[in-house]
Amino acid sequence: MKIVILGAGVSGHTAALILRRKLGRAHSITVVSPKPKWNWIPSNIWVGIGKMKDHQVTFDLAPVYKKLGVEFVLSKAVEIHPEGDSTTERPFVTVESTDPSTAGTRSNIDYDYLINATGPKLNFEATPGLGPEGYSLSVCTVEHAMETAQRLEQIVLEMKAGKAKTFVIGTGHGLCTCEGAAFEYVFNLEFELRQRGVRDKARIIFLTNEAELGDFGVDGMYLQNAGHISPSSLFAESLFHERGVESIIGAHVHRVDATKLEYETLDGTRGELEFNFAMLLPPFSGVNMAAFDNAGNDISSELFNPGKFMKVDAEYTAKPYEDWAPSDWPKTYQTKYPNVFAVGIAFAPPHQISRPRETPNGTKIAPAPPRTGMPSAIMGRAVANSIADMIRNKSTKATHAASMADMGAACIASAGNSFLSGSAAAITMYPIIPDFSKYPGYGRSVPYTTGEIGLAGHWIKYLLHVAFIYKAKALPFWWVVPE
Amino acid sequence: MKPQSTEKVTAIRPTERTLYYRRSLLLQVWRFLAINWRMTKMILKSHDHVIK
């Protein structure tokens, strides 16, 4: 059998490792990725403040796949033909080379099973002026993070010369996700400026699409800590207050210019903010891929939602927020084609987790559900296990489930990188999708939903950095490291 | 619009004792072990499962 995995991020790479371990060499595994390197994205925030270099968060994929007997194709997927075409009944994907020597060349790769783990397209175009090609910075890729660190270095020099500077950190659009990354970057920045003795010259503003601090795109949570159950908004507000970081919540950014940005908040108020340094995350969309049936008809709308995310075994019927249910969320990540799966950012969530809101002017401000990191890896593992069983049992039925309504997440949000004076918020929650019928009152299990900040959190964040890169390199006993 | 001042936020602030706990190496070693244990339990609860 031939398994093709599109994408070598957390989800796709996890699936490749597990499939290789579960299946003999008689079965072929091909990974298609537009980038030659694997990137431990959670540590990009440390690259973005100059605490790590690019080589500490990335490594070349080709030698790892060679060792494992996995074929690696340096290309991006552009078309899916799940029924084959007029010349062949075998399903295939069309890929376009990103190798500098053959860039742009297209070829077809046939498959028996396909995992779409293409991750996000960083949709900077959604906001005029947003992104490294505009006027703001990013830490979404290691290249972006390196550029951000260089800019920070320059600005710190100016501050040391006595100049005051304004930093705006947060989300660059009302529909962004991954607020946690912005949360980490703002506190790492604040810590770094303190370490470098220029904190008094800095005004730091956190601008977010979350309706309240600590929402994180999961409608906030109730955290158990030190004998109390308190909302994550209180926990987060406390951290901002303690560090003197200002905040603008429930905000959509309309445009970013060289030194100022325009935004609108949930009450419809429009404002301008001048800045010297802006690190604003973009919203995500799915990557540009089209799908065709065997007659050559475009069936993209059947396989993808308007945001280009792939539809899987979820309940996509539009309904009011109050009617959304945990059971709407996908379990097996199987699409209408039983041999095609979509995991990680690539699958289409049935709806937001945080309540979607709109300003009086009709601007939508709705944090998108986070599905990176631990959930992505667990989905990759579940699909790999299912495919291995489907091959063994000669079945079309997926055998493993990993619904976000039945899955927890551990998030270690760094707030300063230093072995003796750093800190991080160690947050666990279960389940990711609140379930008020199972957990009345709080929507999540109280014993499993906790949060605390301290130096230990930083040690854990660093341990995870080391452990997950070790695992991704498929070094001896890599499989002992859990997702 | 003027950004929300942190001074107006009704946020709780850590006491000196809490700040000490967050820095104390001995206590943080204990928290390191406790958080890892908590995360391990959560991870075991969260992994994919066989559909019955």
Side-chain angles (χ1 to χ4, degrees):
Chain A
M1 290 286 177
K2 184 171 182 181
I3 301 132
V4 173
I5 301 167
L6 306 177
V10 170
S11 211
H13 190 62
T14 302
L17 294 184
I18 291 173
L19 278 165
R20 183 74 291 163
R21 184 158 183 261
K22 291 223 154 190
L23 297 173
R25 298 277 172 133
H27 302 284
S28 94
I29 300 167
T30 301
V31 174
V32 178
S33 171
K35 292 184 176 180
K37 287 178 186 283
W38 190 85
N39 178 201
W40 177 238
I41 293 171
S43 294
N44 283 0
I45 48 142
W46 287 340
V47 177
I49 51 153
K51 282 283 189 184
M52 276 191 179
K53 296 292 178 197
D54 51 353
H55 66 86
Q56 291 173 281
V57 298
T58 59
F59 63 82
D60 285 322
L61 282 164
V64 176
Y65 286 141
K66 190 178 174 191
K67 178 176 71 178
L68 294 172
V70 170
E71 188 190 0
F72 180 49
V73 179
L74 189 58
S75 294
K76 64 176 180 183
V78 288
E79 289 174 9
I80 299 179
H81 297 261
E83 302 168 4
D85 64 6
S86 57
T87 61
T88 176
E89 285 185 357
R90 269 188 74 72
F92 65 91
V93 286
T94 303
V95 302
E96 191 176 292
S97 174
T98 53
D99 188 325
S101 61
T102 54
T105 312
R106 288 193 172 197
S107 57
N108 295 337
I109 304 173
D110 64 320
Y111 65 82
D112 293 296
Y113 293 91
L114 178 72
I115 302 176
N116 175 12
T118 41
K121 174 183 180 288
L122 304 175
N123 193 13
F124 290 110
E125 301 81 33
T127 302
L130 183 70
E133 297 196 357
Y135 302 105
S136 65
L137 299 154
S138 150
V139 289
C140 291
T141 68
V142 72
E143 295 81 12
H144 291 171
M146 290 290 284
E147 189 184 339
T148 301
Q150 278 176 5
R151 176 73 188 119
L152 179 62
E153 207 57 49
Q154 291 165 0
I155 213 161
V156 167
L157 286 177
E158 291 169 30
M159 293 166 87
K160 282 187 173 168
K163 289 185 182 164
K165 300 287 177 184
T166 300
F167 294 79
V168 180
I169 312 299
T171 53
H173 193 277
L175 303 181
C176 281
T177 182
C178 276
E179 291 81 6
F183 179 91
E184 287 189 85
Y185 190 79
V186 78
F187 287 141
N188 271 273
L189 172 74
E190 194 276 335
F191 179 81
E192 196 56 24
L193 295 178
R194 259 191 287 143
Q195 296 285 93
R196 297 193 194 190
V198 291
R199 178 65 183 91
D200 58 325
K201 301 277 187 304
R203 180 184 181 207
I204 306 176
I205 301 163
F206 186 66
L207 182 137
T208 179
N209 61 347
E210 300 159 281
E212 57 183 19
L213 294 174
D215 179 281
F216 298 126
V218 295
D219 207 27
M221 66 204 86
Y222 287 90
L223 301 166
Q224 187 189 47
N225 185 23
H228 290 86
I229 298 167
S230 53
S232 54
S233 54
L234 190 67
F235 181 71
E237 280 171 13
S238 167
L239 300 180
F240 278 83
H241 188 55
E242 192 185 325
R243 288 159 177 75
V245 176
E246 300 170 49
S247 62
I248 298 173
I249 53 173
H252 167 78
V253 177
H254 281 287
R255 63 177 299 113
V256 184
D257 291 320
T259 56
K260 71 174 180 190
L261 60 83
E262 292 171 24
Y263 65 93
E264 179 182 351
T265 48
L266 278 167
D267 60 4
T269 311
R270 292 181 79 118
E272 285 186 354
L273 204 53
E274 296 207 346
F275 64 83
N276 303 102
F277 178 107
M279 198 297 289
L280 298 169
L281 300 176
F284 292 167
S285 67
V287 300
N288 274 325
M289 258 199 297
F292 299 92
D293 66 11
N294 53 6
N297 300 313
D298 192 325
I299 53 166
S300 303
S301 61
E302 288 176 38
L303 248 68
F304 299 99
N305 76 0
K308 299 274 184 189
F309 298 114
M310 201 172 218
K311 293 180 196 169
V312 291
D313 62 322
E315 168 58 56
Y316 290 112
T317 312
K319 46 190 173 182
Y321 179 79
E322 287 71 21
D323 295 343
W324 289 348
S327 56
D328 295 341
W329 286 76
K331 294 168 186 69
T332 64
Y333 303 92
Q334 209 166 18
T335 65
K336 65 178 276 194
Y337 295 97
N339 62 338
V340 179
F341 297 80
V343 288
I345 296 277
F347 89 85
H351 45 70
Q352 277 96 343
I353 305 173
S354 294
R355 180 183 287 273
R357 293 173 168 89
E358 204 173 291
T359 71
N361 309 317
T363 305
K364 286 187 168 45
I365 300 181
R371 48 210 189 275
T372 51
M374 184 177 163
S376 266
I378 294 175
M379 288 171 212
R381 176 193 168 99
V383 166
N385 283 331
S386 280
I387 290 175
D389 287 347
M390 288 163 79
I391 290 172
R392 281 194 210 108
N393 305 338
K394 296 185 171 52
S395 160
T396 56
K397 208 168 177 320
T399 54
H400 281 67
S403 167
M404 282 171 65
D406 202 18
M407 182 197 299
C411 173
I412 310 296
S414 174
N417 180 338
S418 163
F419 188 75
L420 289 178
S421 58
S423 65
I427 297 170
T428 61
M429 67 170 150
Y430 183 91
I432 299 169
I433 311 298
D435 187 339
F436 286 91
S437 58
K438 258 192 207 167
Y439 307 103
Y442 300 115
R444 294 192 175 94
S445 160
V446 170
Y448 284 98
T449 305
T450 60
E452 66 180 88
I453 189 163
L455 179 58
H458 172 68
W459 295 340
I460 294 170
K461 175 95 181 168
Y462 192 79
L463 176 71
L464 295 181
H465 166 91
V466 173
F468 284 118
I469 290 177
Y470 183 93
K471 177 178 180 161
K473 286 180 175 173
L475 293 169
F477 302 104
W478 62 265
W479 37 267
V480 174
V481 180
E483 282 73 38
Chain B
M1 192 178 102
K2 190 171 180 282
Q4 184 181 0
S5 161
T6 52
E7 289 309 311
K8 291 177 189 166
V9 176
T10 54
I12 51 171
R13 294 207 68 165
T15 60
E16 282 303 317
R17 178 173 285 258
T18 301
L19 291 173
Y20 167 75
Y21 284 164
R22 286 184 194 169
R23 286 191 301 262
S24 160
L25 286 182
L26 200 61
L27 280 164
Q28 289 303 311
V29 168
W30 156 242
R31 293 317 303 156
F32 177 80
L33 297 172
I35 296 168
N36 270 301
W37 171 242
R38 187 199 296 158
M39 279 172 42
T40 305
K41 279 199 304 179
M42 214 272 300
I43 288 165
L44 291 173
K45 194 175 165 68
S46 279
H47 263 190
D48 58 306
H49 59 271
V50 177
I51 301 168
K52 287 172 186 161

